[in-house]
Structures are given as structure tokens and as C-alpha cells.
């Protein structure tokens, strides 16, 4: 028989407190259910499976993170909590050189869990804002647990007595305007810590269900979202450092979500720039919308369906760096053996006096490309400069009928291309600065069947962590 629950409520409010204490009646029993229907019962064992008696077990809501529920195991290692708030909880306990952390999802139904103590260890890590900039005063914690720390002026943090294993580690942004809250998958063993990520905070349950099923989701069957747990842990470099990604909104010049079309002049359709930086995209040829990565996407079939941003309001004039991002689905590859087909570009299509700046294209048979690949070409925006192979980067071979997240970054000297969060190519460029160019930004206008979603242009350089975060943010891992 368990001791009576010690219900320690911190800032839950009067109503919730009354409801909780009403649930903590003498009739509640550890390891089983009384008359309550909102109980979490469990048994705590060691690594050999032996029940652990007289150990304090804590339950903390992972999002509220403002209260602890405490029970002490009985002689059979059993404990029980009466839960009020639905959602994800962290269960934790320590005993000597052993510790336990387990995540459970509570959706208003009684449930039973088995929690295992494992060897504990002390680990440390660092948090960076950029690769060369350490982050101080950043709160780092395992959600729903007592393991919480704040980074020093050198970006360092440490956890004492954390259980060995794989757990989510969340970092709170010190500057929400520029950087986002993020979590990493932390693996702790023998005093060492590796961090895999970054991931959006709202993906914790899905990612951890894949990374560490036993500790991530003890009650998957009770989760209505359990089918969403199929997450591929790809393209995430393991490191002792955690890097906070830039907010996707920071530095964005233009964003064409391509979610809606309104009627334009002479039968055209218009999709607005969500940032209001340009006049929006005028689409010709009566294209349609389809289901995209985020809400809707535009479908462009052939050379007669295309979009034009007539006036980008000098978005890239005098730029010394830029980033282009887009979600692309190539529905069908051209049958020609040699081609370069524009997907998104600021270019003049070979006219005299062109002031080409860039083109994200599908290519084959030129620049040494034998099989269809994505290519990004950059030029200085002058009549003397063109979109040549010497200033270009290329993807791997393109697959059809598959959404790809493509990000191309130019830092004033080097081009880098990422596909689905993974760096696929880099190249030095002779382009150092983009001159003023009157060329429009063109979507398509080639013999190409594609779908486009969330096209974003900025004059800010992003890094691999930023790219990976944005890939996952739009469901790229699901």
C-alpha cells in the first residue's frame, strides 16, 4: 500500500488545486485504480527488474513545467498519481547512482506504466547561437524533469545524475525575435553527451517515439496521434554542441506561400507576397492549386502556365548574400536529353541586355550533368555576366512525385545547396555582389510539370541547423 500522495501544487490556480486534492482521497491505492478514472499507476524496478521500494517518484507536466506530483513507492515498488491536466508528463526518480526518466501521454483515461531505474551519469554540453557565437543564460532542460540548467558566459551547461539513455533536451531562446526554442535528442552514456537535431518543440513526442520508444512514449496506445510517430532521424549531425536555429521569419524579404489565388487582370491569377515586399506573383495560363506541404501549392504544367513577379522592388540590389528556399515536386521529367528548365529565377531568358541574377532549375546534359538534377546558378545582375556552370551547385539525381525542400545559400563567395535538410553541394563563385537588376522573378515558364510551395527569399545567410529545423518544421520528417 502506497503512502498517501504528496500533492505539491505550484501556481495551478484555486480551482485546479481543489479538484486535485479532492482526487487525493484515502481510498486511492498505489499500483492499481480506486474509484478514480484519471489515475496513472505504475511500478518502479531496477535494471534487473526488481521492485524498488521507498523511492520518491515525481510527475511533471512537460509543457506547464510548473508543478510536481510526488508519490513514494510501496514495498512492491508501486506508485500512483491522480492527474488533472491532460497532455505529456515526465516521470523521474533518483536513488543512489541510479535514476529514471520516462515520458507518458495522458488523455483522461486511467493507465499503467512500468518505469526502470538505470545507471546515472553527469554530462555537459554547449549551446551556440551561431557556429562562432556561444549562447549565455540559455535555459536547457529535459521536459518534465528536475534536470535543468542555465548556460554560462561560455555557453556551457551540465546535468548531474541524469539517467543514461536517450532523451529530449529543450533549449529556450534568449532572443525570440531572432532565434527559436528548439529541442535536441540527447544521448547520455559514461559521462558523455551527444546531441542530435535540431527539431521543432511540438515534434517531441513523434521524434522521441522513434529515437527511444521505451523512454519516449510508455502509453502509445492511449495517444490519438500514435500513427504520427513514424519519424525518420535523418540528416541530424551528432555533436556535443546544440545550435539554436534562426527564426524562419528573421531576415525574410519575400514569402510566397502559394496558398490562395485571386482573380487578376485579363484572366490572370494572383498569389500575394505574405511579407508585402513585392506585388505578388501574377500567374498566366490558368494554373490550379493542389494540396501542398503547407496548406496549398501551385501546379504549373508546361510553358504556358507560369508566374511573374513584375516588380520585386529591388529586393536583391547590392546584396552580398542571399538565401532561396522552396518546396518542389517534379511531377514528370522532360524526355529531352539536354535541357535547362527554370523553376524559380530572376532572369531574362536569353534576351539582349539581360541582367540575370539567379535561377533554380532542372538540368540535364549540360555542366557535366548526365542525369536530371536540380541546379542553382547565380550571376552579378549585369549584362556582362550570365548564369554559367562556373557559378552553380547541383543536387543528387531528382526523384519524381516527391516533395523536396530545397535551400540554396550564397554568402558572397560560396554557394551551398541543401535538399531535405542535407548539404549536397558547395562551390566557390566569382560573384561577390549583386548589381541592381530590372529582371522579373519567374516561376516556371518552361516545358516542365512541377508543384511549388512556400517559396522564400532573404538576404540573410542560414546554416545547416537552420535548414534542418525548417525541413522538420514543415513536416519533412513525417
Amino acid at each position: 500500500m502506497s503512502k498517501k500522495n504528496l500533492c505539491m501544487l505550484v501556481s495551478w490556480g484555486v480551482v485546479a488545486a481543489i479538484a486535485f486534492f479532492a482526487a487525493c482521497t484515502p481510498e486511492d491505492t498505489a499500483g492499481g485504480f480506486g474509484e478514480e478514472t484519471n489515475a496513472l499507476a505504475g511500478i518502479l524496478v531496477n535494471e534487473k527488474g526488481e521492485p524498488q521500494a521507498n523511492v520518491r517518484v515525481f510527475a511533471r507536466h512537460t509543457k506547464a513545467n510548473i508543478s510536481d506530483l510526488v508519490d513514494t513507492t510501496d514495498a512492491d515498488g508501486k506508485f500512483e498519481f491522480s492527474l488533472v491536466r491532460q497532455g505529456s508528463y515526465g516521470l523521474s526518480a533518483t536513488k543512489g547512482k541510479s535514476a529514471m526518466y520516462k515520458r507518458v501521454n495522458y488523455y483522461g483515461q486511467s493507465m499503467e506504466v512500468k518505469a526502470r531505474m538505470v545507471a546515472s551519469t553527469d554530462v555537459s554540453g554547449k549551446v551556440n547561437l551561431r557556429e562562432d557565437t556561444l549562447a549565455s543564460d540559455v535555459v536547457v532542460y529535459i521536459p518534465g524533469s528536475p534536470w535543468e540548467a542555465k548556460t554560462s558566459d561560455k555557453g556551457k551547461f551540465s546535468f548531474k545524475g541524469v539517467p543514461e539513455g536517450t532523451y529530449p533536451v529543450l533549449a529556450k531562446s534568449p532572443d525570440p525575435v531572432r532565434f527559436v526554442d528548439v529541442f535536441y535528442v540527447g544521448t547520455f552514456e559514461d559521462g558523455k553527451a551527444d546531441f542530435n537535431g535540431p527539431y521543432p518543440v511540438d515534434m517531441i513526442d513523434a521524434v522521441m517515439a522513434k529515437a527511444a520508444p521505451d523512454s519516449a512514449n510508455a502509453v502509445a496506445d492511449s495517444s490519438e496521434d500514435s500513427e504520427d510517430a513514424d519519424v525518420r532521424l535523418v540528416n541530424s549531425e551528432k555533436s556535443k554542441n546544440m545550435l539554436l536555429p534562426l527564426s524562419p521569419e528573421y531576415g525574410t524579404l519575400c514569402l510566397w506561400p502559394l496558398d490562395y489565388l485571386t482573380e487578376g487582370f485579363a484572366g490572370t491569377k494572383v498569389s500575394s507576397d505574405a511579407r508585402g515586399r513585392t506585388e505578388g506573383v501574377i500567374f498566366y495560363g490558368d494554373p490550379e492549386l493542389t494540396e501542398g506541404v503547407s496548406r496549398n501549392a501551385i501546379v504549373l504544367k508546361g510553358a504556358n502556365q507560369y508566374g511573374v513577379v513584375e516588380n520585386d522592388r529591388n529586393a536583391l540590389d547590392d546584396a552580398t548574400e542571399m538565401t532561396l528556399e522552396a518546396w518542389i515536386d517534379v511531377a514528370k521529367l522532360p524526355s529531352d536529353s539536354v535541357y535547362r528548365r527554370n523553376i524559380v529565377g530572376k532572369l531574362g531568358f536569353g534576351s539582349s541586355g539581360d541582367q540575370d541574377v539567379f535561377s533554380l532549375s532542372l538540368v540535364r546534359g549540360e555542366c557535366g550533368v548526365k542525369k536530371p538534377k536540380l541546379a542553382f546558378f547565380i550571376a552579378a545582375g549585369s549584362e556582362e555576366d550570365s548564369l554559367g556552370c562556373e557559378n552553380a551547385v547541383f543536387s543528387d539525381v531528382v526523384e519524381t512525385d516527391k516533395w523536396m525542400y530545397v535551400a540554396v545559400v550564397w554568402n558572397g563567395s560560396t554557394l551551398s545547396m541543401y535538399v531535405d535538410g542535407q548539404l549536397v553541394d558547395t562551390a566557390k563563385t566569382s560573384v561577390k555582389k549583386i548589381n541592381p537588376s530590372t529582371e522579373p522573378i519567374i516561376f516556371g515558364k518552361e516545358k516542365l510539370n512541377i508543384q511549388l510551395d512556400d517559396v522564400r527569399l532573404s538576404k540573410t545567410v542560414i546554416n545547416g541547423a537552420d535548414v534542418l529545423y525548417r525541413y522538420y518544421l514543415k513536416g519533412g520528417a513525417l
Side-chain angles (χ1 to χ4, degrees), residues 161-401:
V162 65
E164 292 189 341
T166 300
Y167 311 106
V169 180
L170 194 146
K172 298 288 291 183
S173 170
D175 181 0
V177 173
R178 293 185 63 195
F179 301 97
V180 295
D181 294 348
V182 68
F183 89 93
Y184 278 71
V185 176
T187 300
F188 312 127
E189 186 175 2
D190 296 332
K192 298 179 180 180
D194 288 317
F195 299 100
N196 189 294
Y199 302 96
V201 173
D202 60 5
M203 288 184 66
I204 288 181
D205 285 337
V207 172
M208 292 309 302
K210 183 70 174 180
D214 182 62
S215 62
N217 190 0
V219 287
D221 291 341
S222 70
S223 170
E224 296 178 358
D225 300 321
S226 60
E227 66 272 15
D228 293 333
D230 185 18
V231 175
R232 295 180 293 114
L233 297 181
V234 297
N235 308 327
S236 300
E237 294 185 1
K238 289 186 177 181
S239 171
K240 292 185 178 180
N241 291 8
M242 298 170 62
L243 197 63
L244 293 185
L246 279 176
S247 166
E249 304 307 312
Y250 182 77
T252 296
L253 286 174
C254 313
L255 169 59
W256 298 283
L258 306 175
D259 290 333
Y260 307 100
L261 292 174
T262 59
E263 294 300 323
F265 64 89
T268 62
K269 295 181 179 180
V270 180
S271 187
S272 63
D273 176 355
R275 295 296 166 265
R277 183 66 173 75
T278 68
E279 296 176 352
V281 190
I282 301 172
F283 283 102
Y284 297 85
D286 198 27
E288 297 181 349
L289 296 177
T290 188
E291 182 179 355
V293 175
S294 177
R295 298 187 179 92
N296 295 323
I298 193 77
V299 180
L300 301 177
K301 296 180 179 180
N304 294 326
Q305 290 187 339
Y306 62 94
V308 181
V309 180
E310 297 284 1
N311 184 5
D312 64 11
R313 297 172 183 166
N314 312 112
L316 293 176
D317 285 6
D318 300 319
T320 56
E321 55 187 36
M322 68 166 286
T323 297
L324 176 71
E325 302 170 69
W327 283 86
I328 304 167
D329 184 345
V330 179
K332 184 179 180 181
L333 293 170
S335 59
D336 303 3
S337 59
V338 179
Y339 54 80
R340 184 197 295 194
R341 307 282 168 84
N342 177 69
I343 296 174
V344 180
K346 183 175 172 66
L347 71 169
F349 286 95
S351 304
S352 61
D354 282 353
Q355 297 174 308
D356 296 338
V357 174
F358 71 85
S359 176
L360 176 60
S361 307
L362 184 69
V363 301
R364 181 184 181 186
E366 64 170 69
C367 302
V369 176
K370 296 181 179 180
K371 295 183 178 181
K373 294 185 177 182
L374 294 176
F376 184 87
F377 303 87
I378 192 168
S382 61
E383 295 181 22
E384 297 77 22
D385 198 11
S386 61
L387 300 171
C389 301
E390 68 277 8
N391 291 309
V393 284
F394 304 90
S395 74
D396 296 327
V397 176
V398 169
E399 297 181 40
T400 58
D401 293 321

